[in-house]
Amino acid sequence: MPLFVSLVILILFLSPPLFAEWKVTGESNVYYTDDAALFSSTRRLSRNQDPTQPVIDSLLANQGDDVVYEPMAHITKSFSLLGRPTQLGIRGQGFVFTNNTQFNHGSLSVEASHDLTSSTRLLMRYFFGPDLFLGKNEVRPLEESDGNPPKVKNEEVTTNYWAGGLAQQIPGVDDGRIILYGRYGLREYDKPFKQRDTRFWTIGTHVEWKPMRKIGLALGYHYERGLADGRKQPELQDDTSYFNHFVTGELEYEITERLGLEMGLHYEFNGWTTGIQGDERKGQHENVIQGDIASRYRVNEVLQLTAGFQGSHRKESFEKGLKNLNTWLGAKLAF
């Protein structure tokens, strides 16, 4: 774990108690998914998660349906730093599969925010997702010299990314803010697929606005560029370098004091940039469209119940389309 993450954890627990306030949130969701292999990338396709989590090759999909348990815990501490409100937090998340247990994995996020002025806030985040299993894939080169079929091994990836943002209240709009967003990250694959190791950077803008007391809106756009090691290994014909456009829109509606509705629509375009002759991605692209709808019911100040549905369709121009449907029920406790 990087040194600065350890430092944040230390500050979180040892910062002066004066003006400090703790908040602990626990969440538990149970999902039904019709494709265990696509579940994780579908769940993380949103502006505040990891929308470009590696998409698996189509031959790894269609691994069957499953029931997935998601435990999550979030600890935050609010205090005053240099006379300004500051917040530090740690968020742990896991996906536990009932049948396809090889897809079990977890992640850790460390978050911080600091009010630079009464209308400007600095946001920071670090995300660590180790050893995410993508499936059993064919090892390059695909054709063995002795005529035997290609070798097949587990494909796993570890993701680290650092994200930051500057949130500015929109002048004259009390409940509106614009966020300038950026991130830098690394995706490191296990040894048989090292040519897919990728460095990526993202820039984008988010707008959050509450035009009415019961309605909240959010819009976002990201541009991302990823450079894979395979671009320097033409003999493998597996350059996964890309550029990405991600657009998202979200709506929150408070139906009653206790009951709320959340909806989201996300679109992603990946353009593969390989120039290697023989690489199946040369001149190709991918489209992803996804819709979410969820309801939340606040039982009391501590307990909230949730239910939702999510559908995703992704299509690479050189492969057949892939669909993923997820439904869930959950509960959230806040102290």
Side-chain angles (χ1 to χ4, degrees):
M1 184 180 297
L3 177 61
F4 79 91
V5 177
S6 303
L7 180 61
V8 169
I9 295 175
L10 186 65
I11 294 173
L12 181 66
F13 289 98
L14 297 183
S15 58
L18 188 63
F19 308 121
E21 179 181 348
W22 287 90
K23 182 177 181 180
V24 179
T25 302
E27 192 169 348
S28 178
N29 297 303
V30 178
Y31 297 85
Y32 169 78
T33 180
D34 66 354
D35 194 334
L38 295 175
F39 174 80
S40 179
S41 59
T42 300
R43 286 301 302 154
R44 292 205 170 110
L45 199 150
S46 70
R47 66 189 174 97
N48 292 321
Q49 291 292 322
D50 187 12
T52 54
Q53 177 176 297
V55 177
I56 66 172
D57 297 331
S58 64
L59 62 89
L60 304 183
N62 301 314
Q63 295 300 308
D65 59 355
D66 210 336
V67 174
V68 185
Y69 170 59
E70 178 194 23
M72 186 163 51
H74 193 187
I75 302 173
T76 60
K77 188 175 186 179
S78 302
F79 56 96
S80 177
L81 178 65
L82 302 176
R84 292 289 182 182
T86 303
Q87 189 175 84
L88 293 176
I90 300 175
R91 181 177 182 268
Q93 178 190 38
F95 289 137
V96 182
F97 291 74
T98 302
N99 298 319
N100 299 273
T101 56
Q102 68 272 24
F103 289 103
N104 292 352
H105 67 281
S107 64
L108 175 70
S109 298
V110 177
E111 303 161 348
S113 68
H114 176 70
D115 286 9
L116 299 175
T117 69
S118 59
S119 59
T120 306
R121 174 174 293 183
L122 177 65
L123 308 171
M124 293 177 288
R125 186 184 190 212
Y126 166 72
F127 174 88
F128 175 60
D131 303 325
L132 171 64
F133 177 71
L134 299 178
K136 293 183 179 294
N137 208 349
E138 297 173 333
V139 179
R140 302 289 174 129
L142 297 178
E143 296 181 2
E144 303 293 338
S145 58
D146 56 5
N148 293 326
K151 296 179 181 179
V152 176
K153 293 189 176 183
N154 289 349
E155 182 180 359
E156 296 182 349
V157 62
T158 293
T159 297
N160 291 269
Y161 73 75
W162 298 260
L166 198 62
Q168 176 65 51
Q169 181 181 331
I170 300 174
V173 182
D174 292 339
D175 294 317
R177 67 174 185 169
I178 185 169
I179 302 170
L180 301 179
Y181 175 83
R183 71 173 185 164
Y184 173 79
L186 306 171
R187 303 201 196 275
E188 299 175 318
Y189 288 75
D190 48 340
K191 188 174 181 180
F193 303 94
K194 294 296 287 183
Q195 74 274 8
R196 295 190 170 189
D197 284 0
T198 304
R199 288 170 170 77
F200 62 93
W201 55 264
T202 312
I203 56 173
T205 303
H206 302 168
V207 177
E208 299 174 350
W209 180 40
K210 197 166 184 179
M212 301 173 62
R213 185 177 63 85
K214 292 188 175 184
I215 295 178
L217 298 173
L219 299 173
Y221 168 76
H222 294 176
Y223 174 80
E224 183 167 299
R225 188 76 169 90
L227 295 175
D229 287 354
R231 71 188 191 281
K232 301 177 181 178
Q233 300 169 289
E235 69 279 3
L236 296 180
Q237 299 178 352
D238 190 34
D239 177 11
T240 56
S241 302
Y242 64 92
F243 68 88
N244 171 274
H245 297 285
F246 173 68
V247 182
T248 181
E250 301 168 13
L251 168 68
E252 293 185 10
Y253 178 61
E254 185 179 330
I255 301 173
T256 68
E257 185 178 346
R258 293 179 179 270
L259 181 63
L261 187 66
E262 300 174 358
M263 293 179 286
L265 183 63
H266 321 286
Y267 172 73
E268 190 171 65
F269 178 88
N270 290 306
W272 308 113
T273 61
T274 178
I276 298 174
Q277 293 296 330
D279 192 327
E280 62 183 357
R281 293 179 176 82
K282 185 179 180 182
Q284 304 297 323
H285 63 272
E286 177 191 45
N287 287 288
V288 183
I289 186 168
Q290 180 171 306
D292 315 323
I293 183 169
S295 62
R296 47 179 173 78
Y297 180 75
R298 184 171 58 84
V299 178
N300 51 44
E301 295 299 323
V302 174
L303 176 62
Q304 178 177 278
L305 303 179
T306 60
F309 173 84
Q310 183 177 61
S312 176
H313 179 269
R314 58 181 73 240
K315 174 70 171 66
E316 289 191 275
S317 53
F318 61 92
E319 293 185 334
K320 64 181 181 179
L322 300 173
K323 295 181 179 180
N324 184 213
L325 298 176
N326 302 317
T327 59
W328 73 90
L329 295 171
K332 182 177 181 180
L333 294 171
F335 303 94

